[in-house]
């Protein structure tokens, strides 16, 4: 009998703590003005290992995942709020595009309120790139690597990858021309004998022997260095610290290289720049119901590796293993979807996190 | 009344001991990202560790194995699949994707995924112990 009392007490305690959490979360939602956008599945990334965050796994009990979200909010409220608002802005614009499908909803009306809903940025985008190279000897990272890397980024972000023609028919109609062009602005080289740079952003800090970022509001910074730890490259989502904004690529995986083997065709950068433009991994970094926040990509519960044969089925649908945001070999990834394109392009629209690149 | 408690307690101890003797346990830790992977297999025989830069096989003592088993018994295996990771660096490729599988008497329990190097606290001690042995 006592046991039942204890269980009952425990149950009540859990229910009460859940309610508290929900109250706190709804307070955050009130920070913003838009009500009709569903943000219940949103979760936040961390920037340093000291932070806490939730994977937002929808199979996890909601109370649990919300409580971690709440902890994240307390530990790093400014990052949480920034990323929350970027996601809200993105969803608002994508919802607006769906609503105004007729193609623009009548002329200008830019100044006045109450006109058409805002939509993702549609014009061509040019992104100047700062390449920050940390190498043992001057020229270890060759000009040919730089040239081929920029060429591959331009191929992939302008739907010119020759492999795309092999897309299975169920995915062929989703292939997007992202219409983003990359140009080399500046190449910074620094000699360093440091064997590996790790993933703690030391390469982005001159105080630690690295190279400081150049104006991340108007340039994409790419650091090229030996990362180590089995990591080919890594990125930072929009909303993180400006001083570390950009992508890092291991020397052997930058541009076309023989040392990179099946990862020697420059697509590590394509994948990392996808993250820099707020794309998630195509499997959503969780189980079937954890989404990548893109409607036209199939649900999956895992990364795919090597060069998968089609069809590869997870979560009862065929995985889009050939998407740049999966983990396959360079030669086996060859598409972004229309939904991913929209998601990236919301960043360049008015109020978007990377609006400063187009204004 | 007291004797009943003693009886119950000793019964519990016996059941606990025999469970430990009988239980067949094996453990697999995996970490994977684009381009590299790490795997660590452990059972009463020893540990097999494979990674992008190192391969090794080693025997472990009975005491070491008992320590590992005790750590396994301290984990709520059914809850492993819902553990919430303390960080999500792997979402931008900044960490490998780690996971832990425990085979107990033929039943396989798999954890949710987490950043390699920063596992959920519930399974951290077990993983740290395995890596210390393999180091």
């Amino acid at each position: 009998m006592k046991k039942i009392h204890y269980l009952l007490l425990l149950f009540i305690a859990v229910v009460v703590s859940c309610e508290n959490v929900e109250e706190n979360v709804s307070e955050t939602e009130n920070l913003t003005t838009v009500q009709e956008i569903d943000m219940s599945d949103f979760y936040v990334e961390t920037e340093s290992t000291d932070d806490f965050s939730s994977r937002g796994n929808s199979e996890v009990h909601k109370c649990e995942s919300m409580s971690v979200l709440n902890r994240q909010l307390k530990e790093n409220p400014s990052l949480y709020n920034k990323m929350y608002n970027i996601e809200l802005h993105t969803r608002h614009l994508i919802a607006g595009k769906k609503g105004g499908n007729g193609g623009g909803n009548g002329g200008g009306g830019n100044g006045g309120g109450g006109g058409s809903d805002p939509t993702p940025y549609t014009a061509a985008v040019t992104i100047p790139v700062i390449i920050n190279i940390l190498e043992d000897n001057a020229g270890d990272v060759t000009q040919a690597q730089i040239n081929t890397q920029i060429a591959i980024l331009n191929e992939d972000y302008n739907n010119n990858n020759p492999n795309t023609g092999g897309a299975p028919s169920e995915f062929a109609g989703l292939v997007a021309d992202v219409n983003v062009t990359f140009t080399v602005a500046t190449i910074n080289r620094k000699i360093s004998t440091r064997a590996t740079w790790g993933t703690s952003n030391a390469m982005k800090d001159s105080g630690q022997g690295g190279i400081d970022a150049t104006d991340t509001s108007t340039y994409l910074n790419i650091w090229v260095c030996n990362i180590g730890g089995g990591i080919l490259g890594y990125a930072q989502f929009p909303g993180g610290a400006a001083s570390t904004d950009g992508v890092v690529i291991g020397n052997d995986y930058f541009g076309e290289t023989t040392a990179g083997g099946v990862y020697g065709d420059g697509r590590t950068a394509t994948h990392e720049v996808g993250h820099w433009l707020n794309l998630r991994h195509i499997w959503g970094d969780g189980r079937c119901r954890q989404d990548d926040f893109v409607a036209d990509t199939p649900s999956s519960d895992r990364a795919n590796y090597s060069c998968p044969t089609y069809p590869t089925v997870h979560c009862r649908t065929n995985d889009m293993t050939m998407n740049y945001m999966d983990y396959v070999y360079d030669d086996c990834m060859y598409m972004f979807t229309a939904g991913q394109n929209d998601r990236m392009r919301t960043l360049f629209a008015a109020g978007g996190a990377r609006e400063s690149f187009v204004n | 009344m007291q004797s009943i408690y003693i009886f119950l307690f000793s019964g519990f101890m016996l059941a606990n001991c025999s469970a430990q003797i009988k239980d067949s346990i094996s453990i697999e830790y995996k970490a994977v990202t684009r381009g590299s992977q790490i795997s660590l297999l452990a059972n009463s025989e020893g540990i097999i560790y494979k990674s992008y830069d190192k391969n090794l096989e080693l025997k472990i003592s009975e005491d070491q194995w008992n320590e590992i088993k005790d750590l396994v018994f301290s984990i709520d295996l059914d809850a492993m699949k819902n553990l919430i990771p303390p960080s999500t660096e792997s979402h931008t490729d900044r960490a490998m994707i780690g996971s832990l599988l425990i085979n107990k008497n033929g039943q396989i329990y798999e954890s949710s995924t987490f950043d390699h190097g920063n596992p959920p606290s519930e399974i951290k001690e077990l993983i740290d112990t395995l890596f210390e042995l393999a180091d």
Side-chain angles (χ1 to χ4, degrees), chain A residues 45 47-48 51 53 55 199 229-230 232-235 237 263 268 271-272 275 281 285 287 305 327-328 330, chain B residues 32-36 52 81-97 112-113 118:
Chain A
E45 304 305 314
E47 275 201 275
S48 78
D51 297 330
S53 77
R55 283 164 67 241
T199 56
L232 306 190
Y234 73 92
F237 287 128
Y263 304 105
T268 299
H271 178 103
E272 301 310 337
H275 286 313
H281 285 137
D285 297 295
R287 301 207 181 100
Y305 297 91
Y327 265 177
V328 297
D330 280 12
Chain B
V32 59
T33 188
R34 194 165 175 265
S36 43
Y52 51 91
K81 62 180 187 293
N82 291 329
L83 292 178
I84 294 176
S87 61
T88 53
E89 308 280 7
S90 71
H91 293 193
T92 50
D93 311 316
R94 204 168 157 183
M96 297 173 90
I97 304 165
S112 52
T113 57
N118 193 24

Tab-separated table of all heavy atoms in Angstrom, chain A residues 45 47-48 51 53 55 199 229-230 232-235 237 263 268 271-272 275 281 285 287 305 327-328 330, chain B residues 32-36 52 81-97 112-113 118:
chain	number	residue	atom	x	y	z
A	45	GLU	N	21.039	23.334	-31.394
A	45	GLU	CA	22.390	22.781	-31.416
A	45	GLU	C	23.247	23.471	-30.369
A	45	GLU	O	22.997	24.609	-30.003
A	45	GLU	CB	23.023	23.034	-32.784
A	45	GLU	CG	22.218	22.506	-33.927
A	45	GLU	CD	21.925	21.054	-33.789
A	45	GLU	OE1	22.859	20.287	-33.472
A	45	GLU	OE2	20.779	20.664	-33.990
A	47	GLU	N	27.115	24.858	-29.209
A	47	GLU	CA	28.341	25.347	-29.832
A	47	GLU	C	29.566	24.850	-29.119
A	47	GLU	O	30.612	24.714	-29.710
A	47	GLU	CB	28.346	26.870	-29.793
A	47	GLU	CG	27.595	27.452	-30.950
A	47	GLU	CD	28.033	28.857	-31.173
A	47	GLU	OE1	27.485	29.737	-30.512
A	47	GLU	OE2	28.945	29.047	-31.984
A	48	SER	N	29.462	24.640	-27.846
A	48	SER	CA	30.607	24.075	-27.149
A	48	SER	C	30.113	22.895	-26.340
A	48	SER	O	28.938	22.770	-26.058
A	48	SER	CB	31.230	25.108	-26.224
A	48	SER	OG	30.448	25.207	-25.051
A	51	ASP	N	27.684	23.108	-23.298
A	51	ASP	CA	26.263	23.415	-23.385
A	51	ASP	C	25.410	22.153	-23.386
A	51	ASP	O	25.880	21.072	-23.686
A	51	ASP	CB	25.976	24.174	-24.669
A	51	ASP	CG	26.691	25.507	-24.675
A	51	ASP	OD1	26.886	26.046	-23.572
A	51	ASP	OD2	27.046	25.952	-25.746
A	53	SER	N	21.764	20.461	-24.843
A	53	SER	CA	20.691	20.657	-25.812
A	53	SER	C	19.944	19.366	-25.996
A	53	SER	O	20.355	18.318	-25.543
A	53	SER	CB	21.236	21.125	-27.141
A	53	SER	OG	21.786	20.032	-27.812
A	55	ARG	N	18.025	16.589	-28.564
A	55	ARG	CA	17.900	16.108	-29.924
A	55	ARG	C	16.446	16.217	-30.363
A	55	ARG	O	16.117	15.969	-31.494
A	55	ARG	CB	18.352	14.651	-30.036
A	55	ARG	CG	19.837	14.505	-30.039
A	55	ARG	CD	20.239	13.084	-29.756
A	55	ARG	NE	19.848	12.220	-30.841
A	55	ARG	CZ	19.019	11.206	-30.706
A	55	ARG	NH1	18.487	10.949	-29.544
A	55	ARG	NH2	18.722	10.443	-31.719
A	199	THR	N	38.515	19.907	-33.070
A	199	THR	CA	37.222	20.487	-33.451
A	199	THR	C	36.773	21.573	-32.478
A	199	THR	O	35.595	21.862	-32.359
A	199	THR	CB	36.145	19.396	-33.531
A	199	THR	OG1	36.094	18.717	-32.283
A	199	THR	CG2	36.420	18.407	-34.647
A	229	GLY	N	41.298	13.199	-35.511
A	229	GLY	CA	40.158	12.578	-34.833
A	229	GLY	C	39.158	11.926	-35.771
A	229	GLY	O	38.017	11.666	-35.390
A	230	GLY	N	39.580	11.655	-36.997
A	230	GLY	CA	38.690	10.981	-37.943
A	230	GLY	C	37.635	11.894	-38.545
A	230	GLY	O	36.709	11.432	-39.199
A	232	LEU	N	36.449	14.676	-41.224
A	232	LEU	CA	36.825	15.204	-42.543
A	232	LEU	C	36.591	16.715	-42.622
A	232	LEU	O	37.315	17.426	-43.316
A	232	LEU	CB	36.010	14.531	-43.658
A	232	LEU	CG	35.987	13.010	-43.750
A	232	LEU	CD1	35.325	12.575	-45.045
A	232	LEU	CD2	37.382	12.440	-43.665
A	233	GLY	N	35.539	17.178	-41.989
A	233	GLY	CA	35.195	18.594	-42.016
A	233	GLY	C	34.060	18.837	-41.043
A	233	GLY	O	33.397	17.888	-40.617
A	234	TYR	N	33.867	20.093	-40.639
A	234	TYR	CA	32.702	20.394	-39.802
A	234	TYR	C	32.243	21.828	-40.030
A	234	TYR	O	32.958	22.624	-40.625
A	234	TYR	CB	32.955	20.091	-38.317
A	234	TYR	CG	33.875	21.031	-37.568
A	234	TYR	CD1	33.360	22.136	-36.883
A	234	TYR	CD2	35.237	20.796	-37.511
A	234	TYR	CE1	34.201	22.987	-36.166
A	234	TYR	CE2	36.081	21.634	-36.792
A	234	TYR	CZ	35.560	22.731	-36.124
A	234	TYR	OH	36.381	23.565	-35.419
A	235	ALA	N	31.050	22.115	-39.575
A	235	ALA	CA	30.414	23.404	-39.877
A	235	ALA	C	29.802	24.006	-38.622
A	235	ALA	O	29.869	23.436	-37.535
A	235	ALA	CB	29.341	23.213	-40.940
A	237	PHE	N	26.028	26.051	-37.673
A	237	PHE	CA	24.737	26.531	-38.163
A	237	PHE	C	24.648	28.059	-38.040
A	237	PHE	O	25.313	28.644	-37.180
A	237	PHE	CB	23.592	25.924	-37.351
A	237	PHE	CG	23.330	24.474	-37.631
A	237	PHE	CD1	23.261	23.553	-36.591
A	237	PHE	CD2	23.104	24.007	-38.928
A	237	PHE	CE1	22.998	22.209	-36.831
A	237	PHE	CE2	22.839	22.670	-39.178
A	237	PHE	CZ	22.787	21.774	-38.127
A	263	TYR	N	36.830	10.341	-50.727
A	263	TYR	CA	36.399	11.658	-50.239
A	263	TYR	C	37.281	12.757	-50.842
A	263	TYR	O	37.409	13.843	-50.273
A	263	TYR	CB	36.445	11.709	-48.710
A	263	TYR	CG	35.623	10.601	-48.079
A	263	TYR	CD1	36.244	9.481	-47.506
A	263	TYR	CD2	34.234	10.649	-48.092
A	263	TYR	CE1	35.498	8.455	-46.952
A	263	TYR	CE2	33.482	9.622	-47.545
A	263	TYR	CZ	34.115	8.522	-46.979
A	263	TYR	OH	33.365	7.510	-46.433
A	268	THR	N	33.007	17.188	-49.355
A	268	THR	CA	32.923	17.500	-47.924
A	268	THR	C	32.506	18.958	-47.778
A	268	THR	O	31.635	19.288	-46.967
A	268	THR	CB	34.283	17.240	-47.238
A	268	THR	OG1	34.607	15.855	-47.383
A	268	THR	CG2	34.246	17.596	-45.761
A	271	HIS	N	28.780	19.519	-48.487
A	271	HIS	CA	27.985	19.093	-47.337
A	271	HIS	C	28.078	20.123	-46.197
A	271	HIS	O	27.059	20.524	-45.633
A	271	HIS	CB	28.506	17.716	-46.887
A	271	HIS	CG	27.849	17.132	-45.679
A	271	HIS	ND1	26.909	16.131	-45.748
A	271	HIS	CD2	28.002	17.390	-44.355
A	271	HIS	CE1	26.521	15.806	-44.526
A	271	HIS	NE2	27.158	16.554	-43.654
A	272	GLU	N	29.295	20.564	-45.893
A	272	GLU	CA	29.459	21.511	-44.774
A	272	GLU	C	28.822	22.868	-45.080
A	272	GLU	O	28.230	23.498	-44.193
A	272	GLU	CB	30.947	21.700	-44.427
A	272	GLU	CG	31.698	20.429	-44.032
A	272	GLU	CD	31.023	19.601	-42.969
A	272	GLU	OE1	30.218	20.136	-42.192
A	272	GLU	OE2	31.286	18.384	-42.927
A	275	HIS	N	25.279	22.775	-44.223
A	275	HIS	CA	25.011	23.071	-42.798
A	275	HIS	C	25.099	24.576	-42.543
A	275	HIS	O	24.293	25.140	-41.800
A	275	HIS	CB	26.033	22.374	-41.897
A	275	HIS	CG	25.842	20.889	-41.754
A	275	HIS	ND1	24.626	20.310	-41.492
A	275	HIS	CD2	26.744	19.870	-41.806
A	275	HIS	CE1	24.789	18.993	-41.391
A	275	HIS	NE2	26.053	18.700	-41.583
A	281	HIS	N	21.237	17.189	-41.376
A	281	HIS	CA	21.459	15.894	-42.030
A	281	HIS	C	20.131	15.346	-42.523
A	281	HIS	O	19.099	15.507	-41.863
A	281	HIS	CB	22.107	14.907	-41.051
A	281	HIS	CG	23.551	15.191	-40.823
A	281	HIS	ND1	24.128	15.153	-39.580
A	281	HIS	CD2	24.548	15.538	-41.688
A	281	HIS	CE1	25.420	15.451	-39.691
A	281	HIS	NE2	25.691	15.697	-40.957
A	285	ASP	N	19.161	13.269	-37.865
A	285	ASP	CA	19.970	13.003	-36.671
A	285	ASP	C	19.200	12.296	-35.562
A	285	ASP	O	19.462	12.516	-34.380
A	285	ASP	CB	20.576	14.310	-36.114
A	285	ASP	CG	21.539	14.955	-37.096
A	285	ASP	OD1	22.582	14.359	-37.380
A	285	ASP	OD2	21.215	16.055	-37.607
A	287	ARG	N	15.672	9.217	-34.872
A	287	ARG	CA	14.860	8.106	-35.370
A	287	ARG	C	13.889	8.591	-36.435
A	287	ARG	O	13.882	9.780	-36.802
A	287	ARG	CB	14.132	7.458	-34.203
A	287	ARG	CG	15.124	6.939	-33.160
A	287	ARG	CD	14.579	5.782	-32.363
A	287	ARG	NE	15.566	5.370	-31.372
A	287	ARG	CZ	15.529	5.716	-30.081
A	287	ARG	NH1	14.520	6.438	-29.631
A	287	ARG	NH2	16.472	5.326	-29.266
A	305	TYR	N	26.241	5.156	-45.698
A	305	TYR	CA	27.681	5.263	-45.932
A	305	TYR	C	28.044	4.594	-47.250
A	305	TYR	O	27.202	3.965	-47.887
A	305	TYR	CB	28.440	4.605	-44.773
A	305	TYR	CG	28.192	5.313	-43.447
A	305	TYR	CD1	27.158	4.913	-42.600
A	305	TYR	CD2	28.967	6.401	-43.067
A	305	TYR	CE1	26.913	5.574	-41.406
A	305	TYR	CE2	28.732	7.062	-41.866
A	305	TYR	CZ	27.714	6.652	-41.039
A	305	TYR	OH	27.481	7.308	-39.862
A	327	TYR	N	25.790	10.774	-45.813
A	327	TYR	CA	27.204	10.531	-45.488
A	327	TYR	C	27.901	9.625	-46.500
A	327	TYR	O	28.865	8.956	-46.168
A	327	TYR	CB	27.284	9.897	-44.086
A	327	TYR	CG	27.514	10.876	-42.943
A	327	TYR	CD1	27.533	10.422	-41.616
A	327	TYR	CD2	27.730	12.233	-43.169
A	327	TYR	CE1	27.754	11.289	-40.561
A	327	TYR	CE2	27.945	13.109	-42.120
A	327	TYR	CZ	27.965	12.635	-40.816
A	327	TYR	OH	28.189	13.490	-39.758
A	328	VAL	N	27.447	9.612	-47.747
A	328	VAL	CA	28.000	8.689	-48.739
A	328	VAL	C	29.296	9.238	-49.347
A	328	VAL	O	29.709	10.363	-49.058
A	328	VAL	CB	26.960	8.416	-49.854
A	328	VAL	CG1	25.727	7.739	-49.252
A	328	VAL	CG2	26.552	9.706	-50.567
A	330	ASP	N	31.923	10.865	-52.022
A	330	ASP	CA	31.781	12.096	-52.811
A	330	ASP	C	31.067	11.853	-54.140
A	330	ASP	O	30.204	12.641	-54.551
A	330	ASP	CB	33.166	12.707	-53.092
A	330	ASP	CG	33.696	13.501	-51.902
A	330	ASP	OD1	33.116	13.380	-50.806
A	330	ASP	OD2	34.684	14.237	-52.065
B	32	VAL	N	30.810	6.568	-35.453
B	32	VAL	CA	30.968	6.613	-36.901
B	32	VAL	C	30.672	8.014	-37.411
B	32	VAL	O	29.859	8.754	-36.846
B	32	VAL	CB	30.059	5.522	-37.550
B	32	VAL	CG1	28.617	5.753	-37.197
B	32	VAL	CG2	30.261	5.434	-39.051
B	33	THR	N	31.403	8.404	-38.418
B	33	THR	CA	31.094	9.632	-39.140
B	33	THR	C	31.469	9.397	-40.583
B	33	THR	O	31.942	8.314	-40.944
B	33	THR	CB	31.840	10.843	-38.553
B	33	THR	OG1	31.359	12.037	-39.188
B	33	THR	CG2	33.346	10.758	-38.782
B	34	ARG	N	31.271	10.411	-41.415
B	34	ARG	CA	31.641	10.270	-42.812
B	34	ARG	C	33.153	10.078	-42.885
B	34	ARG	O	33.908	10.938	-42.464
B	34	ARG	CB	31.208	11.535	-43.556
B	34	ARG	CG	31.215	11.403	-45.033
B	34	ARG	CD	30.450	12.509	-45.710
B	34	ARG	NE	30.606	12.358	-47.147
B	34	ARG	CZ	31.511	12.982	-47.867
B	34	ARG	NH1	32.303	13.866	-47.321
B	34	ARG	NH2	31.614	12.743	-49.158
B	35	GLY	N	33.604	8.927	-43.373
B	35	GLY	CA	35.038	8.733	-43.572
B	35	GLY	C	35.771	7.971	-42.495
B	35	GLY	O	36.904	7.567	-42.712
B	36	SER	N	35.189	7.758	-41.329
B	36	SER	CA	35.908	6.971	-40.327
B	36	SER	C	34.982	6.362	-39.284
B	36	SER	O	33.851	6.830	-39.098
B	36	SER	CB	36.989	7.804	-39.639
B	36	SER	OG	36.526	9.072	-39.337
B	52	TYR	N	40.084	4.163	-37.034
B	52	TYR	CA	40.735	4.640	-38.244
B	52	TYR	C	42.247	4.664	-38.103
B	52	TYR	O	42.959	4.704	-39.075
B	52	TYR	CB	40.201	6.039	-38.618
B	52	TYR	CG	40.244	6.996	-37.454
B	52	TYR	CD1	41.354	7.791	-37.234
B	52	TYR	CD2	39.178	7.071	-36.559
B	52	TYR	CE1	41.400	8.649	-36.144
B	52	TYR	CE2	39.214	7.933	-35.480
B	52	TYR	CZ	40.332	8.713	-35.275
B	52	TYR	OH	40.373	9.555	-34.194
B	81	LYS	N	17.462	3.383	-24.911
B	81	LYS	CA	17.065	3.873	-26.236
B	81	LYS	C	16.516	5.306	-26.185
B	81	LYS	O	16.402	5.956	-27.225
B	81	LYS	CB	16.036	2.935	-26.886
B	81	LYS	CG	14.721	2.801	-26.128
B	81	LYS	CD	13.808	1.852	-26.892
B	81	LYS	CE	12.419	1.778	-26.298
B	81	LYS	NZ	12.417	1.143	-24.954
B	82	ASN	N	16.211	5.778	-24.991
B	82	ASN	CA	15.658	7.132	-24.864
B	82	ASN	C	16.584	8.126	-24.161
B	82	ASN	O	16.162	9.217	-23.791
B	82	ASN	CB	14.325	7.082	-24.114
B	82	ASN	CG	13.238	6.417	-24.926
B	82	ASN	OD1	13.250	6.504	-26.159
B	82	ASN	ND2	12.327	5.728	-24.264
B	83	LEU	N	17.848	7.740	-23.996
B	83	LEU	CA	18.764	8.653	-23.303
B	83	LEU	C	18.953	9.933	-24.116
B	83	LEU	O	19.063	9.889	-25.341
B	83	LEU	CB	20.127	7.979	-23.102
B	83	LEU	CG	20.155	6.809	-22.125
B	83	LEU	CD1	21.547	6.209	-22.056
B	83	LEU	CD2	19.683	7.249	-20.748
B	84	ILE	N	18.989	11.054	-23.415
B	84	ILE	CA	19.159	12.335	-24.104
B	84	ILE	C	20.626	12.745	-24.024
B	84	ILE	O	21.191	12.833	-22.941
B	84	ILE	CB	18.250	13.413	-23.471
B	84	ILE	CG1	16.799	13.025	-23.738
B	84	ILE	CG2	18.564	14.789	-24.036
B	84	ILE	CD1	15.795	13.933	-23.097
B	85	PRO	N	21.251	12.977	-25.173
B	85	PRO	CA	22.683	13.290	-25.151
B	85	PRO	C	22.931	14.701	-24.632
B	85	PRO	O	22.136	15.601	-24.867
B	85	PRO	CB	23.089	13.182	-26.621
B	85	PRO	CG	21.839	13.480	-27.377
B	85	PRO	CD	20.698	12.991	-26.532
B	86	PRO	N	24.054	14.901	-23.929
B	86	PRO	CA	24.350	16.224	-23.392
B	86	PRO	C	24.839	17.225	-24.434
B	86	PRO	O	24.941	18.412	-24.135
B	86	PRO	CB	25.450	15.950	-22.359
B	86	PRO	CG	26.064	14.678	-22.775
B	86	PRO	CD	25.023	13.885	-23.486
B	87	SER	N	25.152	16.769	-25.644
B	87	SER	CA	25.576	17.704	-26.702
B	87	SER	C	25.184	17.109	-28.052
B	87	SER	O	24.880	15.915	-28.147
B	87	SER	CB	27.084	17.939	-26.647
B	87	SER	OG	27.777	16.725	-26.859
B	88	THR	N	25.168	17.938	-29.087
B	88	THR	CA	24.763	17.470	-30.419
B	88	THR	C	25.728	17.958	-31.495
B	88	THR	O	25.326	18.395	-32.554
B	88	THR	CB	23.329	17.951	-30.744
B	88	THR	OG1	23.275	19.363	-30.551
B	88	THR	CG2	22.288	17.276	-29.890
B	89	GLU	N	27.002	17.879	-31.194
B	89	GLU	CA	28.020	18.343	-32.148
B	89	GLU	C	28.006	17.535	-33.443
B	89	GLU	O	28.393	18.038	-34.498
B	89	GLU	CB	29.422	18.245	-31.520
B	89	GLU	CG	29.574	18.911	-30.172
B	89	GLU	CD	29.750	20.414	-30.259
B	89	GLU	OE1	29.629	20.958	-31.367
B	89	GLU	OE2	30.009	21.027	-29.214
B	90	SER	N	27.583	16.289	-33.371
B	90	SER	CA	27.599	15.455	-34.581
B	90	SER	C	26.624	15.986	-35.632
B	90	SER	O	26.756	15.654	-36.806
B	90	SER	CB	27.267	13.998	-34.247
B	90	SER	OG	25.909	13.866	-33.894
B	91	HIS	N	25.685	16.832	-35.234
B	91	HIS	CA	24.716	17.357	-36.194
B	91	HIS	C	25.369	18.268	-37.229
B	91	HIS	O	24.803	18.516	-38.286
B	91	HIS	CB	23.601	18.124	-35.465
B	91	HIS	CG	22.747	17.228	-34.617
B	91	HIS	ND1	21.545	17.619	-34.084
B	91	HIS	CD2	22.923	15.949	-34.218
B	91	HIS	CE1	21.015	16.621	-33.379
B	91	HIS	NE2	21.841	15.613	-33.444
B	92	THR	N	26.561	18.794	-36.904
B	92	THR	CA	27.326	19.561	-37.902
B	92	THR	C	28.673	18.884	-38.147
B	92	THR	O	29.646	19.556	-38.488
B	92	THR	CB	27.536	21.019	-37.470
B	92	THR	OG1	28.035	21.022	-36.129
B	92	THR	CG2	26.253	21.833	-37.538
B	93	ASP	N	28.740	17.570	-37.930
B	93	ASP	CA	29.925	16.746	-38.232
B	93	ASP	C	31.112	17.029	-37.321
B	93	ASP	O	32.223	16.595	-37.597
B	93	ASP	CB	30.373	16.930	-39.701
B	93	ASP	CG	29.205	16.802	-40.659
B	93	ASP	OD1	28.407	15.878	-40.476
B	93	ASP	OD2	29.075	17.639	-41.565
B	94	ARG	N	30.861	17.729	-36.222
B	94	ARG	CA	31.954	18.140	-35.342
B	94	ARG	C	32.347	17.014	-34.383
B	94	ARG	O	33.366	17.100	-33.684
B	94	ARG	CB	31.497	19.380	-34.575
B	94	ARG	CG	32.609	20.249	-34.079
B	94	ARG	CD	32.020	21.568	-33.607
B	94	ARG	NE	32.892	22.208	-32.650
B	94	ARG	CZ	32.593	23.360	-32.034
B	94	ARG	NH1	31.444	23.965	-32.285
B	94	ARG	NH2	33.415	23.878	-31.174
B	95	ALA	N	31.519	15.987	-34.305
B	95	ALA	CA	31.843	14.812	-33.488
B	95	ALA	C	31.326	13.580	-34.213
B	95	ALA	O	30.390	13.669	-35.015
B	95	ALA	CB	31.178	14.919	-32.116
B	96	MET	N	31.949	12.422	-33.948
B	96	MET	CA	31.429	11.176	-34.507
B	96	MET	C	30.121	10.820	-33.787
B	96	MET	O	29.867	11.269	-32.676
B	96	MET	CB	32.458	10.058	-34.333
B	96	MET	CG	33.755	10.318	-35.086
B	96	MET	SD	35.034	9.092	-34.704
B	96	MET	CE	34.691	7.884	-35.945
B	97	ILE	N	29.301	9.995	-34.439
B	97	ILE	CA	28.013	9.582	-33.866
B	97	ILE	C	28.246	8.304	-33.056
B	97	ILE	O	28.588	7.267	-33.622
B	97	ILE	CB	26.987	9.306	-34.980
B	97	ILE	CG1	26.816	10.531	-35.883
B	97	ILE	CG2	25.652	8.854	-34.380
B	97	ILE	CD1	26.111	10.207	-37.198
B	112	SER	N	20.234	5.373	-27.665
B	112	SER	CA	20.069	6.447	-28.638
B	112	SER	C	21.474	6.930	-29.014
B	112	SER	O	22.447	6.611	-28.338
B	112	SER	CB	19.248	7.584	-28.032
B	112	SER	OG	19.811	7.974	-26.802
B	113	THR	N	21.590	7.696	-30.096
B	113	THR	CA	22.914	8.145	-30.514
B	113	THR	C	23.331	9.398	-29.749
B	113	THR	O	22.495	10.136	-29.229
B	113	THR	CB	22.939	8.437	-32.025
B	113	THR	OG1	21.944	9.412	-32.331
B	113	THR	CG2	22.673	7.181	-32.831
B	118	ASN	N	31.362	12.326	-25.560
B	118	ASN	CA	30.494	12.994	-24.585
B	118	ASN	C	29.170	12.231	-24.439
B	118	ASN	O	28.105	12.732	-24.789
B	118	ASN	CB	30.245	14.442	-25.018
B	118	ASN	CG	29.624	15.280	-23.909
B	118	ASN	OD1	29.775	14.963	-22.722
B	118	ASN	ND2	28.914	16.332	-24.286
